[in-house]
């Protein structure tokens, strides 16, 4: 990525010369109308053309009928953050028409269904193309029952013709979308072709926007974070999955299901992985805690409301020291909040989840590669630390298509942590004189556990949330309690050293540092390039885990000013940093948004400039 | 010289099956049940490392610490024992789970998990030590307390009780029994049958709280239970070999219809000799009718109330590999490098 190419489009300036591979469009449809196929095919085709692209679905909590938008951004510079405004809108929803057209910048393009065109507000400063949807569908040989689902292909044909997308590549994407089933691909393609022909024969192109093949996606894949996380769990050897359906986490479990075949005997179908749909998130948490206690690699996936319900169990697991993995695909707000909008609002709650003194270990993926890596590594960490590991993704990463490097195979064998089988237990006892479940012989706070089923008369222990001594025996003594908490603190410090380190990009002579985590990453990259082009250099540290590692502390005190960029209202990471580093934090400022949408570069740029101007 | 203590088939004494000293009230019904678990496990020669003791929260849920000291145990969360058992059995389906709950733990906070564990047919022994009150919080009514029960601090119970055996049957449990902790022989026989059962086995054992609910007219007190218990049958649990050897004698001994033999999945027989009330536990209609009648007439019936041929258990329906998942080595759990390459090629 070249820092000199400032993203002019974020300033919404109309340019008259041809604009190639550097614009965004928004597709406005009704939920449940089948537009997902059209949108996926468009994104896939652009990706296959070698154009760096993202696709973000802004959808309602609804099965059918409410407005939904899909934004696609193509960027020859490789910027994949969301853009707040788009140059092009596909206006297929009469109920949002007025706003959709009003939001276009001057020089923008509106591709509109002809049967709603008469309701469109008149603007002389935009290009309007009408798609005769009914007429095209009348000509198409499509069975009536599919008609309404396929008619969204008309805008695919229009977009392809107007902006120079090769039809054979659309067809290839359709085949991919339908798992190489020719019949549905052909049916959809027919509609694409008819719309394409209509535009070629009857419509004059006047706008400056074009796509052109380039070499910006070679070797990359296009995948959602939830598919990546589910696949990661499969390669992490997950044994027990228990879950309760909740948006936006459901597709992560669906992915585990889709790739379950990798964990099945091809002849018998017998599996090394059990998947149980629980009656609620309490039970889902209970099942993974039970499974972790008995020695399995167990996980669940949920979102905020489920995390709330899992508080008691994960607090127990922290204290009884039971490995398990909990994915939180974060969505917006408490209660139902905005259930189909993204957020980073669970980081504070999750880090301290559990009553009493609890500090949970949290992984913070920012990309599909990291979702995959943390998908398997979380089990290693859980078993090494004998504790719950939370993986905090969000709706944006989880449910949207992201460009990604292909995933790397795990670089180390599975780490099963300190588990004593009967033989190892005998050796332990002969070395130390005794074994106790919470006896810290290594001084790192991590003790040795045995699993149910271990054939040794001294192997058993009674796990519990009540006060217990080193031998796992019930105790209400204050000194025993405090001693245990001190050991858990030692373990926490060990955990600090085991967690993934932050990604740091230092700019020479920068006086400003940006700290963030997760899916703000693409917006921060873009904002930093833009700011650098304006002469404002910034360094960037992206946190990948809690507890914060030493590198974070070093970074915080290396700069004159630190901006903590996060997608929640309260600035929760900023608060966590203030708990960890109470000293001299006046140079640290919170840039917290929390509007339910993936962050844009423009918001970061505007806020940094405003703060810097006001110094 | 002191007499050598008796040893079982594993060469262990009964003492080897004891847990830590109980901290429950002297005379608590739960201690008696713990003793029967110790006795049954000793008699059957159960290897303790293959047993997992599970519980929720409450007086009853403390008791797994007081039996089978060589078995792993987990005192989990209030009302949530069933989910923890479900997970543990997915991890290791070779374990035999003996789980203890109470009427508060199961009948109130844990009703959902109780029913869903039954729905999934999670194969474990689910003991409810049912005394009608909350003990650790000092004597509130539980959901199983009979209407009109008068308690010291909380006055008169105005609500209709929940019958947990009935709830279990309605939810689809395949083995449902009711007993009285004062009837050691029956508790032991039902415990043994439950251990042999393949599927969820619910034992609703009335287990008096000597501190908060033991007045003679209280339906869950010792005096009441001792006086009013109506056993439906005499229960014997017989190994397959024993039955074969004794078959002719036993059949001649009783008139037709006086004796029911139920063969369990592992070949064990449960022989029920009918007493004054006729009841066939193989009929769901009879089981529901007799429980409804008992509730209406205030009859304290005990015995094997419902038994059904084993349905597939959760580990069966999950179609897991034969080896316990928790003991599989890493190379059996992580697909190959090539597998990842193939998946990546699809994107």
């Amino acid at each position: 990525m070249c820092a000199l190419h400032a993203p002019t489009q974020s300033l919404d300036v109309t340019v008259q010369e041809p604009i190639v591979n550097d614009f965004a469009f928004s597709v406005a449809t009704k939920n449940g109308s089948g537009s997902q196929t059209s949108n996926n095919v468009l994104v896939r085709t652009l990706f296959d053309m070698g154009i760096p692209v993202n696709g973000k679905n802004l959808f309602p909590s609804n099965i059918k009928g409410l407005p939904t938008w899909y934004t696609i951004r193509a960027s020859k510079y490789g910027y994949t953050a969301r853009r707040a405004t788009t140059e092009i809108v596909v206006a297929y929803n009469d109920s949002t028409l007025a706003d959709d057209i009003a939001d276009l910048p001057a020089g923008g393009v509106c591709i509109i269904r002809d049967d709603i065109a008469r309701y469109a507000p008149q603007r002389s400063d935009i290009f309007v193309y009408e798609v005769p949807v009914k007429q095209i569908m009348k000509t198409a040989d499509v069975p009536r029952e599919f008609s309404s689902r396929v008619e969204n292909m008309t805008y695919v044909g229009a977009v392809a013709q107007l902006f120079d997308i090769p039809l054979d590549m659309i067809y290839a994407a359709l085949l991919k979308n339908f798992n190489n089933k020719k019949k549905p691909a052909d049916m959809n393609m027919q509609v694409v072709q008819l719309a394409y022909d209509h535009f070629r024969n009857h419509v004059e192109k006047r706008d400056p926007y074009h796509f052109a093949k380039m070499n910006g996606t070679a070797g990359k894949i296009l995948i959602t974070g939830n598919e990546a996380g589910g696949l990661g769990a499969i390669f992490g050897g997950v044994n027990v999955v228990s879950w309760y359906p909740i948006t936006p986490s459901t597709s992560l479990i669906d992915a585990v299901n889709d790739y379950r075949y990798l964990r099945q005997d091809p002849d018998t179908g017998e599996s090394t992985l059990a998947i149980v749909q629980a009656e609620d998130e309490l039970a889902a948490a209970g099942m993974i805690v039970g499974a972790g206690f008995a020695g399995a690699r167990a996980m669940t996936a949920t979102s905020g409301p489920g995390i709330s319900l899992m508080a008691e169990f994960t607090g127990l697991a922290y204290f009884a020291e039971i490995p398990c993995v909990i994915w939180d695909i974060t969505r917006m707000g408490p209660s139902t909040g905005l259930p189909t909008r993204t957020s980073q609002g669970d980081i504070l709650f999750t880090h301290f989840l559990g009553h009493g003194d609890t500090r949970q270990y949290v992984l913070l993926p920012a990309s599909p590669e990291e979702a995959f890596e943390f998908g398997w590594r979380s089990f290693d960490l859980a078993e090494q630390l004998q504790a719950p590991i939370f993986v905090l993704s969000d709706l944006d990463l989880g449910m949207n298509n992201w460009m990604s490097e292909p995933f790397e195979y795990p670089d180390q064998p599975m780490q099963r942590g300190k588990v004593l089988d009967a033989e190892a237990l005998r050796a332990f006892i002969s070395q130390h004189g005794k074994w106790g479940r919470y006896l810290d012989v290594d001084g790192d706070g991590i003790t040795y556990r045995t699993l149910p089923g271990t054939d040794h008369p001294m192997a058993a222990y009674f796990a519990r949330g009540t006060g217990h001594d080193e031998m796992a025996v019930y105790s209400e003594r204050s000194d025993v309690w405090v001693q245990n908490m001190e050991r858990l603190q030692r373990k926490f410090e060990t955990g600090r050293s085991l967690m993934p380190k932050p990604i740091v990009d230092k700019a020479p002579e920068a006086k400003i540092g940006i700290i963030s985590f997760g899916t703000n990453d693409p917006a921060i990259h873009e904002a930093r390039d833009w700011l650098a082009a304006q002469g404002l250099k910034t360094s960037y540290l992206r946190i990948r885990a809690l507890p914060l590692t030493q590198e974070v502390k070093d970074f915080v005190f290396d700069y004159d000013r630190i901006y903590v960029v996060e997608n929640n209202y309260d600035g929760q990471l900023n608060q966590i940093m203030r708990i960890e580093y109470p000293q001299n934090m006046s140079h640290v400022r919170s840039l917290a948004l929390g509007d339910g949408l993936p962050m844009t570069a423009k918001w970061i740029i505007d806020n940094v400039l405003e703060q810097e101007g006001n110094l | 010289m002191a007499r050598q203590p008796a040893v079982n088939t594993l060469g262990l004494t009964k003492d080897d099956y004891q847990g830590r000293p109980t901290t429950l009230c002297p005379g608590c019904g739960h201690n008696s049940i713990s003793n029967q678990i110790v006795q049954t496990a000793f008699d059957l020669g159960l290897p303790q490392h293959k047993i997992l003791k599970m519980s929720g929260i409450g007086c009853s849920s403390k008791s797994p610490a007081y039996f089978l000291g060589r078995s792993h145990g987990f005192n989990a969360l209030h009302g949530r024992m069933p989910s923890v058992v479900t997970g543990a059995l997915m991890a290791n389906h070779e374990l035999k789970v003996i789980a203890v709950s109470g009427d508060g733990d199961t009948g109130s906070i844990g009703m959902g998990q109780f029913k869903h564990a039954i729905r999934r047919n999670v194969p474990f022994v689910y003991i409810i030590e049912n005394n009608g009150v909350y003990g650790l919080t000092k004597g509130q009514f539980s959901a199983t307390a009979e209407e009109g029960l008068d308690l010291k601090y909380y006055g008169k119970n105005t609500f209709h009780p929940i019958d947990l055996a009935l709830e279990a049957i309605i939810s689809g449990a395949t083995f449902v029994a009711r007993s009285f902790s004062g009837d050691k022989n029956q508790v032991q026989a039902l415990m043994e049958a439950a251990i042999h059962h393949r599927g969820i086995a619910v034992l609703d054992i009335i287990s008096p709280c000597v501190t908060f609910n033991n007045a003679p007219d209280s339906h869950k007190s010792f005096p009441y239970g001792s006086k009013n218990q109506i056993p439906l049958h005499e229960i014997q649990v017989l190994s397959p070999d024993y039955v074969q050897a004794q078959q002719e004698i036993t059949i001649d001994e009783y008139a037709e219809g006086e004796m029911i033999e139920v063969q369990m999945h592992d070949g064990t027989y449960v022989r029920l000799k009918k007493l004054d009330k006729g009841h066939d536990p193989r009929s769901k209609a009879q089981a529901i009718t007799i429980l409804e009648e008992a509730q209406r007439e205030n009859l304290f019936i005990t015995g094997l109330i419902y038994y059904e041929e084993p349905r597939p258990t959760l580990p069966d329906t999950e179609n897991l590999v034969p080896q316990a998942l928790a003991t599989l080595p890493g190379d059996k759990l992580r697909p190959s490098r090539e597998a990842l390459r193939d998946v990546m090629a699809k994107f």
Side-chain angles (χ1 to χ4, degrees):
Chain A
M1 224 178 292
C2 176
L4 296 175
H5 285 293
T8 52
Q9 68 277 13
S10 67
L11 303 179
D12 294 339
V13 174
T14 310
V15 185
Q16 284 312 315
E17 59 264 30
I19 297 169
V20 181
N21 294 348
D22 189 17
F23 55 95
F25 59 100
S26 163
V27 178
T29 54
K30 286 183 180 171
N31 205 32
S33 66
S35 55
Q36 188 71 8
T37 308
S38 303
N39 299 330
N40 283 342
V41 163
L42 276 175
V43 169
R44 166 60 60 180
T45 308
L46 295 174
F47 175 80
D48 289 345
M49 288 173 72
I51 307 167
V53 68
N54 74 19
K56 294 195 188 295
N57 194 7
L58 307 178
F59 60 104
S61 178
N62 163 260
I63 305 293
K64 212 165 176 142
L66 286 183
T68 178
W69 292 268
Y70 194 85
T71 68
I72 297 172
R73 177 182 184 184
S75 165
K76 59 187 171 191
Y77 309 116
Y79 295 131
T80 55
R82 186 180 74 88
R83 290 255 317 275
T85 54
T86 67
E87 292 85 351
I88 295 163
V89 67
V90 173
Y92 266 43
N93 184 354
D94 53 344
S95 64
T96 61
L97 193 53
D99 283 347
D100 290 336
I101 291 179
D103 288 346
L104 281 177
V109 176
C110 174
I111 297 163
I112 188 167
R113 294 175 63 112
D114 65 344
D115 52 356
I116 64 171
R118 65 179 182 279
Y119 308 119
Q122 295 304 305
R123 277 185 65 174
S124 56
D125 60 343
I126 59 171
F127 304 100
V128 178
Y129 304 107
E130 293 189 14
V131 187
V133 174
K134 289 243 160 63
Q135 184 197 318
I136 289 169
M137 292 310 293
K138 225 177 268 176
T139 358
D141 177 25
V142 172
R144 182 185 289 270
E145 67 265 34
F146 294 117
S147 184
S148 69
R149 296 187 66 79
V150 173
E151 69 175 29
N152 280 315
M153 283 294 150
T154 52
Y155 68 72
V156 177
V159 166
Q161 203 280 331
L162 284 169
F163 307 123
D164 306 332
I165 301 175
L167 282 185
D168 57 333
M169 299 192 76
I170 299 250
Y171 185 61
L174 270 170
L175 274 175
K176 189 158 196 143
N177 186 78
F178 291 109
N179 288 321
N180 287 319
K181 287 190 199 110
K182 211 165 167 302
K183 204 172 161 190
D186 286 351
M187 186 170 70
N188 281 277
M189 191 62 203
Q190 187 197 154
V191 176
V192 173
Q193 181 76 54
L194 287 167
Y196 187 93
D197 291 345
H198 170 83
F199 270 73
R200 189 184 53 203
N201 299 332
H202 305 292
V203 177
E204 183 201 349
K205 179 176 168 80
R206 291 158 287 145
D207 68 86
Y209 298 100
H210 296 274
F211 291 119
K213 284 188 189 176
M214 62 178 278
N215 192 23
T217 63
K220 288 190 161 60
I221 60 169
L222 197 61
I223 192 170
T224 68
N226 280 352
E227 283 171 288
L231 197 55
I234 290 280
F235 280 82
V238 61
N239 298 123
V240 177
V241 175
S242 182
W243 67 296
Y244 186 76
I246 182 170
T247 304
S249 73
T250 307
S251 58
L252 196 150
I253 304 298
D254 291 345
V256 176
N257 236 325
D258 290 344
Y259 296 105
R260 195 185 197 178
Y261 71 88
L262 293 171
R263 300 283 303 280
Q264 279 172 323
D265 184 305
D267 299 324
T268 63
E270 287 171 344
S271 175
T272 58
L273 160 60
I275 305 178
V276 183
Q277 184 182 324
E279 57 270 34
D280 54 32
E281 288 91 343
L282 288 168
M287 287 183 210
I288 66 166
V289 168
F293 167 71
R297 298 197 142 192
M299 70 172 268
T300 187
T302 187
S303 195
I307 290 289
S308 303
L309 292 179
M310 291 176 185
E312 193 182 15
F313 255 121
T314 52
L316 169 70
Y318 178 85
F319 190 63
E321 302 184 57
I322 292 166
C324 54
V325 171
I326 301 109
W327 281 77
D328 176 1
I329 314 301
T330 316
R331 64 191 218 185
M332 191 69 183
S335 180
T336 316
L338 298 175
T340 58
R341 298 290 189 265
T342 198
S343 164
Q344 295 183 320
D346 289 351
I347 184 170
L348 195 59
F349 182 52
T350 306
H351 188 35
F352 294 100
L353 197 67
H355 51 259
D357 298 299
T358 313
R359 271 187 292 172
Q360 304 283 5
Y361 304 93
V362 183
L363 295 173
L364 303 163
S367 64
E369 296 108 288
E370 278 181 352
F372 176 78
E373 183 195 331
F374 294 169
W376 61 264
R377 198 183 287 282
S378 54
F379 293 108
D380 286 356
L381 288 166
E383 291 189 331
Q384 285 174 300
L385 290 166
Q386 302 176 6
I389 300 289
F390 289 84
V391 190
L392 241 68
S393 174
D394 60 24
L395 182 143
D396 182 23
L397 176 58
M399 293 188 71
N400 288 321
N401 269 309
W402 289 57
M403 278 202 314
S404 166
E405 297 298 329
F407 304 153
E408 283 181 25
Y409 196 71
D411 59 4
Q412 57 180 25
M414 283 187 193
Q415 310 288 307
R416 302 305 302 253
K418 298 181 185 178
V419 179
L420 301 174
D421 60 15
E423 196 182 326
L425 179 60
R426 271 189 287 277
F428 187 100
I429 292 171
S430 71
Q431 188 186 346
H432 300 286
K434 63 176 179 179
W435 167 78
R437 168 65 184 94
Y438 303 109
L439 187 64
D440 181 13
V441 295
D442 298 334
D444 60 0
I446 302 173
T447 61
Y448 288 79
R449 63 184 185 129
T450 57
L451 304 180
T454 306
D455 190 2
H456 187 291
M458 304 301 286
Y461 73 98
F462 198 59
R464 50 177 19 127
T466 38
H468 45 257
D469 64 15
E470 292 176 334
M471 304 304 287
V473 173
Y474 183 87
S475 170
E476 293 185 13
R477 289 175 56 134
S478 303
D479 56 339
V480 168
W481 180 271
V482 170
Q483 202 178 39
N484 191 42
M485 293 311 290
E486 285 168 351
R487 182 183 56 77
L488 285 172
Q489 178 65 38
R490 279 204 300 283
K491 180 162 103 166
F492 192 74
E493 293 306 321
T494 304
R496 208 186 280 282
S497 68
L498 290 176
M499 299 305 273
K501 301 203 178 317
I503 304 292
V504 185
D505 179 15
K506 289 188 179 174
E509 298 156 43
K511 299 262 191 292
I512 294 170
I514 293 173
I515 293 180
S516 191
F517 68 100
T519 51
N520 311 320
D521 191 49
I524 292 171
H525 278 298
E526 187 176 348
R528 289 181 66 216
D529 283 356
W530 201 95
L531 289 168
Q534 307 295 305
L536 196 61
K537 290 189 177 125
T538 57
S539 290
Y540 172 35
L541 177 142
R542 180 166 60 81
I543 290 169
R544 299 201 298 160
L546 297 175
L548 300 174
T549 56
Q550 180 62 37
E551 293 81 3
V552 182
K553 190 172 186 181
D554 295 343
F555 186 92
V556 167
F557 296 105
D558 260 3
Y559 291 89
D560 292 352
R561 256 176 323 289
I562 294 285
Y563 292 103
V564 183
V565 176
E566 50 192 316
N567 207 347
N568 54 59
Y569 188 81
D570 281 343
Q572 298 182 15
L573 175 62
N574 178 53
Q575 294 180 41
I576 291 169
M577 287 171 55
R578 277 161 201 279
I579 293 170
E580 289 258 359
Y581 317 131
Q583 68 278 36
N584 195 18
M585 292 285 279
S586 58
H587 68 299
V588 176
R589 300 182 174 196
S590 174
L591 290 187
L593 175 60
D595 62 353
L597 299 171
M599 197 170 273
T600 63
K602 186 169 189 303
W603 184 85
I604 299 168
I605 292 165
D606 289 350
N607 278 276
V608 169
L609 288 181
E610 188 189 332
Q611 297 254 349
E612 289 296 311
N614 287 347
L615 284 173
Chain B
M1 237 174 81
R3 197 163 61 91
Q4 288 295 314
V7 294
N8 65 6
T9 49
L10 296 179
L12 297 172
T13 67
K14 192 174 159 190
D15 263 2
D16 294 327
Y17 284 84
Q18 299 288 358
R20 302 188 71 79
T22 177
T23 62
L24 299 172
C25 305
C28 176
H30 304 351
N31 288 332
S32 166
I33 296 169
S34 295
N35 291 339
Q36 300 326 311
I37 293 171
V38 168
Q39 187 69 51
T40 307
F42 169 72
D43 289 347
L44 295 178
L46 297 181
Q48 288 178 72
H49 71 277
K50 296 213 159 170
I51 297 176
L52 185 55
K53 310 174 293 182
M54 304 295 261
S55 62
I57 295 293
C59 290
S60 55
S61 292
K62 287 177 151 218
S63 70
Y66 315 139
F67 58 80
L68 309 189
R70 296 184 185 181
S71 297
H72 275 77
F74 195 167
N75 184 191
L77 294 182
H78 200 19
R80 318 298 178 205
M81 168 275 286
S83 62
V84 183
V85 171
T86 306
L89 280 171
M90 291 296 94
N92 189 342
H93 60 266
E94 292 167 355
L95 296 171
K96 190 84 210 171
V97 173
I98 298 175
V100 180
S101 178
D103 40 314
D105 199 55
T106 288
S108 289
I109 190 168
M111 186 65 112
Q113 294 211 348
F114 171 58
K115 297 206 140 208
H116 283 276
I118 291 171
R119 170 178 162 256
R120 297 188 185 98
N121 200 22
V122 181
F124 72 109
V125 179
Y126 191 132
I127 299 166
I128 304 161
E129 299 181 345
N130 185 349
N131 57 19
V133 284
Y134 287 78
L136 284 174
T137 52
K138 304 210 183 300
Q140 299 79 16
F141 296 110
S142 85
T144 66
E146 68 271 20
E147 197 174 342
L149 174 64
D150 222 331
L151 290 181
K152 193 172 172 190
Y153 297 112
Y154 291 90
K156 202 167 262 221
N157 180 32
T158 52
F159 297 114
H160 192 70
I162 288 174
D163 184 327
L164 294 174
L166 193 54
E167 296 292 342
I169 293 169
I170 289 167
S171 308
T174 47
F175 182 115
V176 180
R178 170 163 292 150
S179 191
F180 175 51
S181 68
D183 186 345
K184 289 178 186 171
N185 292 336
Q186 192 194 51
V187 168
Q188 242 191 77
L190 287 169
M191 189 85 66
E192 191 180 337
I195 286 169
H196 283 291
H197 181 58
R198 184 179 163 82
I200 195 161
V202 177
L203 297 180
D204 177 21
I205 305 177
I206 306 306
S207 173
C209 173
V210 292
T211 303
F212 294 108
N213 189 13
N214 203 31
D217 56 344
S218 158
H219 292 185
K220 292 187 176 62
S221 70
F222 261 122
Y224 184 92
S226 310
K227 196 171 149 202
N228 294 298
Q229 185 195 4
I230 305 168
L232 295 171
H233 30 236
E234 282 173 8
I235 306 166
Q236 274 182 294
V237 182
L238 306 168
S239 77
D241 305 342
Y242 180 86
V243 170
Q244 270 162 17
Q246 304 287 323
Q247 194 131 27
E248 287 180 25
I249 304 168
T250 57
I251 283 175
D252 290 345
E253 205 171 330
Y254 302 104
E256 201 178 333
E258 288 300 294
M259 196 184 70
I260 292 168
E261 265 181 6
V262 174
Q263 190 180 12
M264 310 196 74
H265 187 269
D266 65 356
T268 308
Y269 283 85
V270 177
R271 178 181 295 166
L272 305 170
K273 186 192 160 198
K274 200 193 273 184
L275 296 175
D276 59 336
K277 267 190 164 312
H279 175 61
D280 185 345
R282 295 167 300 187
S283 158
K284 191 176 262 189
Q286 276 195 38
I288 291 171
T289 305
I290 202 165
L291 285 172
E292 282 186 340
E293 186 199 7
Q295 197 165 57
R296 197 171 53 245
E297 311 284 336
N298 275 330
L299 303 176
F300 180 26
I301 57 157
T302 61
L304 181 57
I305 293 168
Y306 183 61
Y307 178 81
E308 187 180 313
E309 285 294 310
R311 284 206 307 267
T313 63
L314 183 60
D316 297 335
T317 49
E318 286 286 332
N319 193 21
L320 302 177
V321 294
Q323 191 180 343
L325 300 185
T327 64
L328 290 169
D331 61 347
K332 287 259 184 350
L333 299 180
R334 174 167 288 164
S336 67
R337 209 172 270 278
E338 291 68 40
L340 180 62
R341 204 181 49 209
D342 291 348
V343 171
M344 286 296 95
K346 290 203 291 190
F347 288 91

